[in-house]
Amino acid sequence: MAQTVLVADDDPDIRDVVGIYLRGEGFRVVEAEDGRRVLELLESEPVDLVILDVMMPGMDGIRTCFKIREASAIPIIMLSAKGEHIDKITGLTTGADDYVAKPFNPLELIARVKAQLRRQSLASGSPRQPANDAVIEIDDLTIDRKRHLVTVRGKEVSLTPIEFSILEFLAGHRGQVFNVEQIYRNVWKEDKFCSDNTVMVHIRNIREKVEEHPREPRYIQTVWGVGYKVE
């Protein structure tokens, strides 16, 4: 059965172009012109991924992303015509998994869609870890790889798929230091690396959710000038 991608943009030309490329790769496509329509479709359609424009009338992409994240961990790729760092940080902080600035290469967007869906499939598929590695426990932090569940001090923490993958990767290599490029290549499973703050924003989001004192992190530690580690 074809996977479904919801394309949300108030520009019908962009929806048409993205839809043509997606359908050419075998995806089923549904479209929305604003955030409210996105939320309606998510309640009635079996959607596997959302492509969400930031600037839309009525309910914009940032507010829509926030509303989606209140109920779902579905992969979200944000689009923005501005291409400013603040837009990217806002989108990722709200819960988006990836961000593409307009104008964009449709083939690159399709590659990012496939990467997100592949990661989602691996996370929800059959366990790839030995039974004794299925659960990682570090002090009050527990990462259940089979159930894709994180608890801190006995309370469940809601992480996006990307956030979970980053935390799982670092915790699975406890004590090892990884720079942002190594984290990107291992989590995003892409050879192409753009030197930006995507990884840092996601790590900041994780800290806000799992750390009791995010500015003095206990789990994900910064090794200045090198990268990050879970000790």
Side-chain angles (χ1 to χ4, degrees), residues 4 6 28-31 37-48 74:
T4 300
L6 170 54
R28 174 175 173 265
V29 178
V30 291
E31 300 180 9
R37 181 57 179 158
V38 169
L39 299 180
E40 291 174 358
L41 287 170
L42 288 175
E43 291 184 355
S44 60
E45 295 277 351
V47 175
D48 297 288
I74 185 173

Side-chain angles (χ1 to χ4, degrees), residues 15-36:
R15 297 201 305 269
D16 288 344
V17 170
V18 175
I20 288 170
Y21 277 86
L22 286 169
R23 293 184 182 96
E25 293 294 326
F27 292 104
R28 174 175 173 265
V29 178
V30 291
E31 300 180 9
E33 68 283 352
D34 58 40
R36 289 187 174 83

Side-chain angles (χ1 to χ4, degrees), residues 83-160:
E84 298 289 343
H85 284 304
I86 188 63
D87 295 318
K88 182 169 189 173
I89 292 172
T90 301
L92 295 175
T93 302
T94 308
D97 297 286
D98 205 351
Y99 184 102
V100 177
K102 297 178 181 177
F104 55 84
N105 184 332
L107 294 177
E108 180 183 351
L109 178 60
I110 300 305
R112 290 174 180 263
V113 167
K114 289 181 177 179
Q116 290 295 333
L117 290 172
R118 182 168 60 249
R119 188 178 304 107
Q120 183 83 334
S121 176
L122 289 173
S124 60
S126 58
R128 295 163 290 144
Q129 308 293 334
N132 60 340
D133 291 332
V135 176
I136 301 173
E137 294 184 344
I138 303 173
D139 297 331
D140 294 329
L141 172 69
T142 301
I143 303 169
D144 190 327
R145 286 167 153 162
K146 290 183 177 180
R147 299 169 60 198
H148 213 259
L149 180 68
V150 174
T151 57
V152 180
R153 295 177 291 280
K155 295 183 179 180
E156 183 177 342
V157 177
S158 178
L159 299 182
T160 69

Side-chain angles (χ1 to χ4, degrees), residues 14 55 64 69 84 97 112 125 129 159 164 182 222 228:
I14 291 179
M55 300 299 292
T64 305
R69 280 290 171 258
E84 298 289 343
D97 297 286
R112 290 174 180 263
Q129 308 293 334
L159 299 182
F164 181 91
Q182 291 171 320
T222 299
Y228 301 93

